[in-house]
């Protein structure tokens, strides 16, 4: 797949647009693709953040965080991606729920954009929560403000919006009596866990977009398995979206640490 455009949209955050007409034609909000930047790289699942079926283009947003994403980040406009397979996984459950809160952090800010558009098109009132450590780490504010009825920012240093995290802001909104019919969270595991904890006492259906280690992305290897409501599920084919109140977060957090050391020494090796 040819890379049409590649740019850094925030420190360590990359946006890449590829010529992928087959994926652009079939993509639905919430699906992902597996990227292999060169023939020696690992496979990395990336949420489809934007696409244009007419132009045959697909955009993804990723964080440069480990060996495989370093290889991805090394590709630039005009280069060829070795392999980019998708759309994979189940799309978001889109319906007219009423008032929907979409929470995005890190790469998940890109991930909630298609959800905001689809939820708005389905007749929902859409409130987006965009979080980062500082305002200069936020991106796509303009796109989100266009796609959602309201965008609420939170930053750890208080440089934009509420000082703190998205879960602090959501907790505050709920305590003040604001009602949401559904919450959807995409981002780092800890953020999604905290959001699920905040909404649990209010019994608001909270969908989280799980991001375990994946290999094939088609249900064959078992690397992406999760425990959901006491049952084993594969994030790649059964998900990646699950009820955050049913996820066994202890298992998720333990499994994510399995290759920490390998990830650190990979570059040196
Ligand atoms: Fe292999 Fe899901 S990534 S089963």
């Amino acid at each position: 797949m040819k890379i049409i455009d590649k740019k850094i949209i925030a420190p360590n955050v990359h946006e890449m647009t590829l010529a992928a007409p087959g994926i652009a034609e079939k993509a639905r909000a919430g699906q992902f693709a597996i990227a292999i930047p060169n023939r020696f790289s690992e496979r990395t699942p990336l949420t489809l953040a934007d696409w244009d079926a007419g132009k045959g283009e697909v955009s993804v947003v990723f964080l440069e965080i480990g060996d495989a994403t370093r290889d991805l980040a090394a590709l630039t406009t005009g280069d060829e991606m070795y392999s980019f397979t998708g759309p994979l996984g189940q799309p978001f459950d889109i319906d007219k729920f009423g008032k929907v809160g979409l929470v995005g952090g890190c790469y998940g800010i890109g991930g909630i954009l298609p959800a905001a558009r689809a939820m708005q098109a389905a007749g929902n009132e859409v409130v987006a929560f965009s979080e980062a450590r500082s305002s200069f780490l936020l991106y796509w504010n303009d796109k989100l403000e266009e796609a959602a009825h309201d965008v609420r920012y939170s930053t750890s240093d208080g440089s934009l919006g509420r000082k703190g995290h998205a879960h602090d802001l959501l907790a505050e909104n709920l305590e003040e009596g604001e009602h949401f019919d559904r919450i959807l969270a995409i981002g780092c595991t800890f953020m999604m866990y905290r959001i699920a904890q905040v909404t649990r006492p209010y019994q608001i259906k909270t969908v989280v977009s799980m991001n375990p280690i994946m290999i094939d992305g088609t249900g064959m290897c078992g690397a992406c398995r999760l425990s959901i409501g006491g049952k084993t599920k594969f994030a790649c084919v059964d998900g990646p979206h699950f009820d955050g109140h049913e996820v066994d977060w202890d298992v998720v957090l333990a499994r994510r640490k399995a290759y920490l050391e390998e990830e650190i020494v990979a570059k040196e090796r």
Side-chain angles (χ1 to χ4, degrees), residues 213-224 234-237:
I213 292 166
M214 287 191 189
I215 301 176
D216 61 290
T218 58
M220 290 191 284
C221 70
C224 66
F234 289 171
C236 65
V237 287

Side-chain angles (χ1 to χ4, degrees), residues 14-34:
H14 302 257
E15 177 186 342
M16 185 181 274
T17 302
L18 298 109
I23 299 177
E25 189 191 321
K26 295 203 167 74
R28 287 170 65 195
Q31 291 186 296
F32 66 93
I34 297 255

Side-chain angles (χ1 to χ4, degrees), residues 116-140:
R117 287 183 180 147
M119 287 291 189
Q120 173 146 194
N124 294 287
E125 182 183 347
V126 179
V127 179
F129 294 81
S130 183
E131 80 156 21
R133 274 173 290 130
S134 187
S135 59
F136 71 92
L137 296 167
L138 292 164
Y139 57 91
W140 284 13

Side-chain angles (χ1 to χ4, degrees), residues 51-212:
W51 56 88
D52 184 326
K55 289 188 189 162
E57 296 175 2
V58 172
S59 298
V60 289
V61 173
F62 62 91
L63 221 60
E64 186 180 340
I65 200 168
D67 199 48
T69 47
R70 263 195 298 270
D71 286 347
L72 262 180
L75 295 174
T76 189
T77 305
D79 287 348
E80 298 265 335
M81 171 93 75
Y82 177 68
S83 167
F84 189 72
T85 308
L88 296 166
Q90 303 297 325
F92 293 126
D93 175 20
I94 303 289
D95 209 336
K96 189 168 179 184
F97 299 111
K99 189 166 179 178
V100 178
L102 306 174
V103 189
C106 305
Y107 68 90
I109 298 173
I112 60 170
L113 179 71
R117 287 183 180 147
M119 287 291 189
Q120 173 146 194
N124 294 287
E125 182 183 347
V126 179
V127 179
F129 294 81
S130 183
E131 80 156 21
R133 274 173 290 130
S134 187
S135 59
F136 71 92
L137 296 167
L138 292 164
Y139 57 91
W140 284 13
N141 297 3
D142 51 343
K143 289 191 184 198
L144 268 185
E145 283 166 19
E146 202 181 304
H149 295 95
D150 186 13
V151 183
R152 300 177 191 171
Y153 299 98
S154 51
T155 48
S156 308
D157 63 1
S159 51
L160 184 67
R162 189 200 188 279
K163 188 170 184 314
H165 296 277
H167 65 259
D168 299 319
L169 181 54
L170 179 62
E172 207 169 85
N173 295 160
L174 292 171
E175 276 160 27
E176 285 163 1
E178 188 167 3
H179 173 80
F180 286 93
D181 296 288
R182 180 166 284 229
I183 298 288
L184 171 64
I186 310 180
C188 74
T189 307
F190 190 66
M191 180 275 265
M192 295 191 289
Y193 163 74
R194 293 303 300 264
I195 292 290
Q197 296 311 102
V198 163
T199 57
R200 191 186 291 273
Y202 297 91
Q203 297 183 329
I204 303 168
K205 170 99 172 176
T206 300
V207 178
V208 290
S209 193
M210 301 305 291
N211 52 9

